[in-house]
């Protein structure tokens, strides 16, 4: 996965002229595809990730990304399209976790256990499928860490369609979902279908992961789901702004990551997760500093409240 | 049944597996009680970059795994601040740790020419049947020591896990216990991942404890039931894997999964029946 970049670094140096740099970045077809696919995935992962973080379901997102591993491996074994395996397995796992861990429309304390158990079982299923299909270890790596630089035209189309579908569904359920996520009791009392929404979101999360995981891998999809959303939550408490911020951050992170990985020797997964993590730390530090500014001791030192 | 005992690999697998099952079952009870499931998942993922950096630097992988696990545990403590480590912080840190793993993997893959990538796969999935005599004994001894330490702090740890505020007011050193517990968890994960892979460990850590907590309310009985269950799962898994051509980790996790689902379903059905029985007189016409 690093081979294309390391071969190219000898020939390519980023230019100070941004237009020139952009032209260089997009001069290869695989980079165009990577940017297109990355953009669509970030557009979906930003808003979905915001809700995931808001609902405290990061572990679920992480698990679903791993479940995809079993789905893809099973599809390889059966000789069907990986997308089908990913979607079927993702949906089954999401519903299974919901059924095992849900209590009255909310994922309860029990849910972490359900998630962990399903996660482990599907990983071992994936391992079994790989043994049965006698695939190489390299294939596992490709799946776990993605092959961002080997995306085909057909993949880009599939991702674009699925992302559009996911965003459409999210747009329809966004308002009640927000209500349910922030205050489930009041929402239930007001007649919002809490359970239905919980399951709808589970399926949506599974879909987002399934779409993305086959091209960018278990690692990157999780990073795009959780970190920009977590950063956005540090910066604002307003939901609409938070969703916009989370999506923009996801876009910036994936674009920057692809560009840096293109001009250097570092793997895309590492660059993207590191940039995202740095943003998160900065947002945290800003929040911590602002919170500090209002501490009594500080106000007193500054001469007290006048 | 008897003829499988004549093979060395079965004996080593049984030795290491049993030791691991007991530790994982005991420590898992606290992991579930303290809701550290996601955290322990992260710690077992951390093993991946830890083992790789150690291989790159040419030191013992166990050292790398353990060092990384401890660093991450500390990192999570720092980022979470005074509140409990939350879901988002844990997830964010996990994403980055995996990113570092990719970096090490690329260094490792480009550094050693024609390197087989099975080392990393081993860390993830491991193989109980591939374990050597020496490794098996190391696992057994470390497991025994961890069990002794854990049992000796079990009472205050249980108190601190179930009700930290009251425990602290009663003079229990909650902070110290937290740290000792995280270190024990890191040691267990590090040695287990090194020997049998993250997958198997995680299966034995969470689910037997969860089943035990569903079945009995008393903490000490639950703890020992959890260890016993995880021991039984391990023995059954190894036996199954001996007779069927499936990976041992698959047999074990499948058993654990089926057991958990059955317990949940049976309990739900029973509970429903009790509700119905109670509800009947109320709805009956006077």
């Amino acid at each position: 996965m690093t081979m294309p970049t390391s071969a190219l670094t000898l020939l390519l140096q980023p230019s100070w002229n941004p237009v020139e740099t952009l032209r260089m970045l997009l001069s290869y077809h695989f980079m165009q595809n990577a940017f297109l696919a990355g953009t669509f995935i970030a557009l979906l992962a930003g808003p979905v990730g915001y809700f995931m973080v808001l609902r405290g379901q990061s572990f679920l997102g992480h698990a679903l990304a791993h479940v995809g591993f079993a789905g893809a491996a099973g599809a390889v074994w059966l000789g069907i399209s990986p997308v089908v395996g990913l979607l079927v397995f993702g949906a089954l796992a999401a519903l299974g976790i919901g059924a095992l861990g849900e209590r009255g429309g909310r994922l309860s304390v029990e849910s972490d256990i359900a998630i962990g158990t399903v996660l482990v079982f599907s990983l071992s299923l994936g391992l079994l499928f790989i043994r049965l299909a006698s695939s190489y270890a390299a294939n596992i790596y490709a799946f776990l860490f993605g092959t961002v630089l080997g995306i085909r035209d057909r993949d880009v189309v599939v991702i674009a369609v699925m992302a559009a579908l996911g965003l459409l569904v999210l747009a329809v359920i966004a308002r009640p979902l927000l209500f349910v996520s922030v205050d489930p009791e009041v929402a239930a009392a007001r007649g919002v279908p809490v359970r239905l929404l919980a399951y709808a979101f589970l399926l949506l999360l599974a879909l987002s992961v399934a779409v993305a995981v086959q091209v960018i891998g278990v690692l990157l999809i999780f990073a795009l789901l959780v970190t920009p959303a977590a950063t956005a939550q540090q910066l604002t408490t307003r939901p609409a702004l938070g969703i916009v911020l989370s999506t923009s951050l996801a876009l910036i992170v994936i674009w920057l990551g692809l560009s840096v990985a293109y001009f250097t020797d570092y793997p895309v997964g590492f660059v993207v997760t590191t940039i995202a993590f740095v943003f998160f730390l900065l947002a945290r530090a800003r929040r911590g500093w602002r919170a500090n500014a209002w501490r009594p001791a500080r106000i007193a030192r500054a001469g007290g409240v006048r | 049944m008897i003829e499988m005992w004549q093979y060395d690999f079965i004996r080593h697998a049984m030795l290491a597996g049993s030791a691991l099952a007991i530790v994982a079952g005991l420590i898992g009870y606290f992991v579930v009680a303290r809701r550290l499931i996601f955290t322990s998942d992260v710690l077992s993922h951390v093993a991946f970059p830890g083992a790789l950096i150690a291989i790159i630097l040419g030191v013992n992988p166990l050292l790398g795994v353990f060092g990384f696990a401890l660093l991450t545990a500390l990192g999570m403590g720092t980022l979470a601040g005074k509140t409990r480590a939350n879901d988002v912080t844990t997830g964010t840190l996990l994403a980055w740790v995996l990113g570092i793993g990719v970096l090490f993997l690329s260094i490792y893959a480009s550094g050693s020419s024609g390197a087989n990538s099975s080392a990393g796969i081993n860390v993830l999935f491991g193989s109980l049947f591939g374990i050597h005599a020496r490794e098996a004994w190391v696992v057994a001894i470390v497991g025994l020591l961890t069990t002794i330490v854990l049992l000796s702090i079990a009472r205050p740890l249980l108190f601190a896990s179930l009700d930290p505020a009251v425990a602290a007011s009663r003079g229990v050193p909650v902070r110290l216990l937290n740290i000792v517990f995280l270190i024990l968890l890191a040691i267990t994960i590090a040695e287990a991942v090194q020997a049998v892979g993250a997958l198997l460990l995680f299966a034995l850590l969470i689910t037997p404890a969860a089943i035990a907590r569903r079945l009995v309310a008393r903490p000490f009985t639950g703890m020992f039931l959890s260890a016993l269950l995880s021991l039984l799962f391990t023995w059954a898994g190894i036996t199954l894997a001996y007779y069927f051509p499936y990976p041992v980790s698959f047999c074990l996790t499948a058993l654990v999964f089926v057991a958990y689902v059955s317990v949940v379903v049976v309990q739900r059905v029973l509970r429903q029946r009790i509700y119905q029985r109670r509800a009947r007189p109320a709805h009956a016409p006077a």
Side-chain angles (χ1 to χ4, degrees), chain A residues 4 12 14 21 55 69 93 147 162 176 229 247 262 304:
Chain A
L12 293 167
T21 308
R55 295 171 69 81
F69 170 67
T147 46
M162 300 284 238
T247 314
Y262 181 70

Side-chain angles (χ1 to χ4, degrees), chain A residues 123-133, chain B residues 245-247 250:
Chain A
L123 270 180
S124 73
L125 262 184
L127 179 69
L128 176 73
F129 290 148
I130 281 190
R131 286 280 161 82
L132 291 173
Chain B
Y246 303 122
F250 171 74

Side-chain angles (χ1 to χ4, degrees), chain B residues 136-185:
Chain B
W137 279 108
V138 169
V139 170
I141 291 165
V142 174
L144 186 70
L145 290 177
T146 321
T147 308
I148 292 171
V149 175
L150 190 70
L151 284 180
S152 63
I153 62 164
R155 262 194 105 79
L157 185 62
L158 203 60
F159 195 7
S161 305
L162 296 177
D163 201 334
V166 175
S169 71
R170 289 287 292 274
V172 175
V174 176
R175 253 196 121 88
L176 182 70
L177 281 171
N178 286 351
I179 293 169
V180 171
F181 179 72
L182 272 182
I183 291 175
L184 283 181
L185 187 61

Side-chain angles (χ1 to χ4, degrees), chain B:
Chain B
M1 278 300 265
I2 292 164
E3 105 251 7
M4 74 182 217
W5 284 93
Q6 59 191 308
Y7 294 102
D8 267 352
F9 77 95
I10 289 287
R11 283 203 293 261
H12 297 152
M14 280 288 187
L15 174 66
S18 306
L20 203 67
I22 293 171
V23 184
L26 290 176
I27 239 179
Y29 193 81
F30 291 100
V31 169
V32 174
R34 300 170 79 102
R35 297 183 196 168
L36 286 175
I37 298 167
F38 195 15
T39 306
S40 57
D41 180 55
V42 173
L43 286 180
S44 57
H45 277 72
V46 163
F48 183 65
L52 281 172
I53 188 74
I55 295 171
I56 292 167
L57 295 175
V59 296
N60 188 348
L62 193 57
L63 213 66
V65 175
F66 185 55
F68 252 69
L70 268 189
L71 272 182
T72 315
L74 285 176
M76 271 188 291
T78 317
L79 276 177
K82 288 187 185 84
T83 55
R84 294 177 84 134
N86 57 36
D87 183 71
V88 182
T89 315
T90 314
T92 311
L93 203 66
L94 171 63
W96 189 51
V97 161
L98 288 176
I100 297 176
V102 180
L103 173 71
F104 290 162
L105 184 67
S106 79
I107 296 173
Y108 173 63
S110 62
S112 48
S113 54
N116 59 352
S117 42
S118 61
I121 295 296
N122 239 4
V123 168
L124 292 178
F125 298 116
S127 172
L128 198 53
F129 281 172
I131 198 166
H132 300 299
R134 223 185 108 242
E135 279 177 309
W137 279 108
V138 169
V139 170
I141 291 165
V142 174
L144 186 70
L145 290 177
T146 321
T147 308
I148 292 171
V149 175
L150 190 70
L151 284 180
S152 63
I153 62 164
R155 262 194 105 79
L157 185 62
L158 203 60
F159 195 7
S161 305
L162 296 177
D163 201 334
V166 175
S169 71
R170 289 287 292 274
V172 175
V174 176
R175 253 196 121 88
L176 182 70
L177 281 171
N178 286 351
I179 293 169
V180 171
F181 179 72
L182 272 182
I183 291 175
L184 283 181
L185 187 61
I187 290 175
T188 308
I189 289 176
E191 59 133 4
V193 161
Q194 169 64 14
V196 300
L199 179 63
L200 207 62
L201 167 80
F202 203 65
L204 290 175
L205 196 65
I206 303 303
T207 322
I211 295 175
R213 273 172 66 93
R214 276 179 169 270
L215 293 180
V216 287
R218 297 174 123 192
F220 276 98
T221 321
M223 245 170 79
F224 291 118
L225 181 62
S226 161
L228 183 70
L229 280 174
S230 115
L231 201 59
L232 290 179
F233 284 134
T234 310
W235 289 344
I238 290 174
T239 314
L240 276 182
Y242 175 75
Y243 288 106
F244 296 100
Y246 303 122
V248 61
S249 45
F250 171 74
C251 293
L252 211 163
T253 49
L255 277 175
V256 170
F257 180 74
V258 170
Y260 175 70
V261 172
S262 342
V263 168
V264 171
V265 170
V266 167
Q267 280 196 331
R268 268 197 202 162
V269 171
L270 287 179
R271 207 168 291 159
Q272 207 125 35
R273 273 205 193 147
I274 292 168
Y275 282 143
Q276 276 166 0
R277 206 170 298 156
R278 278 192 195 146
R280 211 167 287 146
H283 288 297

Side-chain angles (χ1 to χ4, degrees), chain A residues 194-220:
Chain A
V194 179
R195 264 186 96 150
L196 186 70
L197 281 169
Y199 277 98
F201 184 70
L202 276 176
L203 286 177
L204 185 64
L205 190 58
L207 170 94
S208 319
V209 169
V211 173
V213 99
Q214 51 162 344
V215 281
I216 64 172
V218 171
L219 159 73
L220 262 183

